[in-house]
Amino acid sequence: VLAGVEQPYDVIISEPSNPWIAGASNLFTREYFRIAKSALRLDGTFCHWVQLYALDDDGVRSLLAALRSEFQYIYGFRYRAGENDLILIARNRPLGRGDLPDWAALPEKARRDLGRIGISSTADLLSLMILGSDDINSLAEGATPNSDDNMYLELHSPMLFYASSTDILDGPAAARQGVLPILDNDFGSDPAAQVALSHLLLRNDPTYARELLREAAALGESRALTIARAELLVRETPEDWRTALAMLESIPGNEATDYLLHYSRAKLRFDARQEFPVALGDADRAVAIRPEAWAARRLRMKLLIGLQRWQEARTEADRLLASPWIDYDWQIWSDAAVLAVILNRPEQGLEEMSRFFERNPFAAKEWNWMAQTLDNMGRSDEARAAEERRDRIERNEQRYTHRLARWHELRGDTAQARRLLQELVAKDPNNQAAREDLARIDRRQR
């Protein structure tokens, strides 16, 4: 199709299946990328999805080298650390500061859609970029480009089907600058630290957050830098939450518009299960500053539940159920169901818990709640059916844990296998097979 294009495209989005599948493998080669480039305008953009599972470091480098052979500038985007989906953007001109998105300038529909994956600020958007063009060049350096002639990915990748996914983006040697080189030197410490905070709170990527914080510190001290340092401290050593709190409370200046400060203080106290009334005050101020900051509203609901202010918590739950955040945090349906029953609306609670099961049907704790609620309503047959589901889920979880332990043992990771078997025996002391496997590992280590 692309080889026969008469009018070039502004954007081409390529989302093929795995590179080890015959046919789809042709959409990961240097020749395909050359055809795609010929079907683009000079300033067009090529977007390519890469599945990092069943790929090793050499396979990823070969793919990047193939794309770099045809496009001068390539950027990598990922939703969260450790995930296996990488989005590559390839262009013939570099991205500039003016190409980066601004949350306030986005249409309302776009902001709402992005809210479904937890994004609510410019920093959140910028944190999606984890590989800059120089990072791609460094990764691809010296690699043989995947091509129709060598069919490297097509023939190499099937051998990796049961192997662990590549950690080329997260391993100890993964040095990344991400979006930083695109930002001008006048970007400042505060915005850079806000991007670091997004990597901590939304991307679950403390390794890259530390790199960003070093860059931010080189630009000077700032409020966001102190907040990010406190968040990083409490993530690494939760018992130091009071030290982190003191860091937050030492920030000078006007707090009236500082959403991040109020949200971080409230979250810190909630995570430490301390001073809920004080935390709620900070959550209230955060929501007042950003009424559509759904993360703060979610935190506020949790605090109200902890304080047993059921009706207020339910009001907040209703807002969240009607928000785009419900697609990001499906657990809200479960919390709303519990609140409905507490407020003597059991039928509504059952309906809302059923919505939760649409996304997560294997939650044993919620099936146990369902059984108890149905039993209290006199619906004993349905309660027994819910109990059977709960028991089946727990048995399957134990089987999966046992299988995973044996898999780690076969791969030589006896420490991880032993830990999983110990957890399994602690939950089910009568699991004879797990006890025997654990005894065998102990004998071997002695």
Side-chain angles (χ1 to χ4, degrees):
V1 170
L2 292 179
V5 167
E6 295 181 1
Q7 296 295 324
Y9 289 104
D10 297 304
V11 177
I12 295 172
I13 299 174
S14 182
E15 192 177 351
S17 190
N18 305 73
W20 39 266
I21 295 177
S25 61
N26 296 88
L27 303 182
F28 291 85
T29 64
R30 179 176 184 172
E31 289 79 4
Y32 167 64
F33 297 141
R34 182 180 302 145
I35 292 171
K37 182 174 70 173
S38 71
L40 278 172
R41 298 185 187 278
L42 288 177
D43 60 348
T45 297
F46 177 72
C47 177
H48 191 66
W49 174 45
V50 180
Q51 312 90 323
L52 296 177
Y53 49 89
L55 280 180
D56 61 4
D57 293 1
D58 288 340
V60 175
R61 290 192 176 100
S62 176
L63 171 61
L64 294 177
L67 189 57
R68 192 182 64 155
S69 298
E70 301 302 325
F71 290 91
Q72 190 172 357
Y73 301 99
I74 308 169
Y75 307 88
F77 299 78
R78 185 177 59 177
Y79 182 63
R80 186 174 286 130
E83 291 193 348
N84 289 322
D85 294 296
L86 177 68
I87 302 296
L88 297 173
I89 296 291
R91 298 159 58 89
N92 288 314
R93 69 173 181 84
L95 289 172
R97 178 77 176 272
D99 297 312
L100 299 178
D102 178 8
W103 178 259
L106 294 177
E108 190 277 331
K109 288 184 178 180
R111 291 199 301 269
R112 182 174 179 84
D113 202 38
L114 287 164
R116 297 172 58 228
I117 55 172
I119 293 176
S120 60
S121 69
T122 298
D124 290 345
L125 287 166
L126 296 180
S127 69
L128 288 167
M129 183 187 292
I130 62 166
L131 296 172
S133 193
D134 289 341
D135 300 324
I136 297 287
N137 292 340
S138 177
L139 288 170
E141 188 67 34
T144 300
N146 183 53
S147 71
D148 288 341
D149 292 333
N150 61 39
M151 297 189 296
Y152 177 75
L153 283 177
E154 183 175 358
L155 300 178
H156 177 69
S157 300
M159 308 297 290
L160 305 168
F161 191 78
Y162 290 104
S164 298
S165 299
T166 176
D167 66 347
I168 193 170
L169 304 182
D170 299 300
R176 302 182 261 128
Q177 290 186 292
V179 74
L180 284 181
I182 304 175
L183 304 172
D184 299 333
N185 290 331
D186 65 350
F187 189 62
S189 173
D190 206 74
Q194 289 185 35
V195 176
L197 270 170
S198 291
H199 278 280
L200 278 173
L201 301 176
L202 193 59
R203 309 281 164 241
N204 193 29
D205 194 350
T207 301
Y208 186 41
R210 287 190 200 93
E211 294 296 323
L212 285 171
L213 290 179
R214 277 194 281 271
E215 296 285 343
L219 297 171
E221 294 297 315
S222 66
R223 297 168 70 86
L225 182 58
T226 302
I227 294 170
R229 284 170 173 159
E231 286 281 355
L232 189 58
L233 172 63
V234 80
R235 173 186 284 264
E236 293 176 338
T237 54
E239 63 273 16
D240 288 341
W241 73 272
R242 291 189 183 279
T243 302
L245 182 60
M247 292 170 63
L248 295 177
E249 292 181 336
S250 71
I251 296 175
N254 181 16
E255 298 183 7
T257 59
D258 202 330
Y259 164 83
L260 285 173
L261 178 60
H262 292 302
Y263 175 74
S264 294
R265 286 197 309 217
K267 179 178 176 296
L268 192 153
R269 285 188 166 98
F270 175 79
D271 290 342
R273 299 297 186 267
Q274 300 287 332
E275 303 173 345
F276 275 25
V278 180
L280 181 61
D282 268 318
D284 288 342
R285 286 185 283 275
V287 168
I289 294 168
R290 290 192 195 171
E292 294 186 356
W294 304 113
R297 287 200 175 276
R298 178 69 164 114
L299 178 58
R300 184 174 187 274
M301 187 189 79
K302 291 178 179 178
L303 288 163
L304 289 167
I305 291 173
L307 293 167
Q308 298 185 16
R309 291 163 60 172
W310 310 122
Q311 186 57 62
E312 293 172 85
R314 179 67 217 197
T315 300
E316 201 66 81
D318 288 336
R319 290 194 186 98
L320 289 164
L321 292 176
S323 76
W325 194 265
I326 188 61
D327 290 328
Y328 175 71
D329 185 358
W330 205 251
Q331 190 70 35
I332 296 169
W333 283 112
S334 173
D335 293 338
V338 173
L339 288 168
V341 171
I342 291 173
L343 295 170
N344 200 29
R345 302 202 293 264
E347 292 291 348
Q348 181 181 356
L350 293 177
E351 180 181 348
E352 289 171 342
M353 190 60 80
S354 296
R355 293 296 305 276
F356 169 78
F357 288 138
E358 290 176 10
R359 181 70 65 90
N360 187 6
F362 307 115
K365 183 180 74 173
E366 278 74 14
W367 278 111
N368 187 61
W369 176 92
M370 181 73 94
Q372 293 176 355
T373 302
L374 288 165
D375 203 37
N376 292 336
M377 295 171 67
R379 295 160 62 171
S380 56
D381 290 344
E382 294 172 83
R384 300 295 84 77
E387 288 175 351
E388 289 175 6
R389 281 178 177 257
R390 176 204 62 200
D391 294 343
R392 186 161 62 248
I393 290 166
E394 290 176 346
R395 288 194 300 271
N396 286 338
E397 287 176 347
Q398 291 177 6
R399 290 175 182 139
Y400 175 75
T401 301
H402 197 174
R403 189 185 77 167
L404 188 61
R406 287 179 170 174
W407 184 80
H408 280 294
E409 184 184 3
L410 287 170
R411 290 175 57 83
D413 190 352
T414 53
Q416 179 72 347
R418 189 172 188 275
R419 184 186 67 79
L420 290 170
L421 289 168
Q422 287 175 328
E423 291 179 2
L424 190 54
V425 170
K427 290 180 181 178
D428 181 13
N430 296 321
N431 190 326
Q432 188 61 31
R435 294 175 70 89
E436 290 174 359
D437 284 355
L438 183 58
R440 183 183 66 253
I441 289 176
D442 288 342
R443 284 195 301 270
R444 187 185 305 159
Q445 289 182 336
R446 286 198 295 268

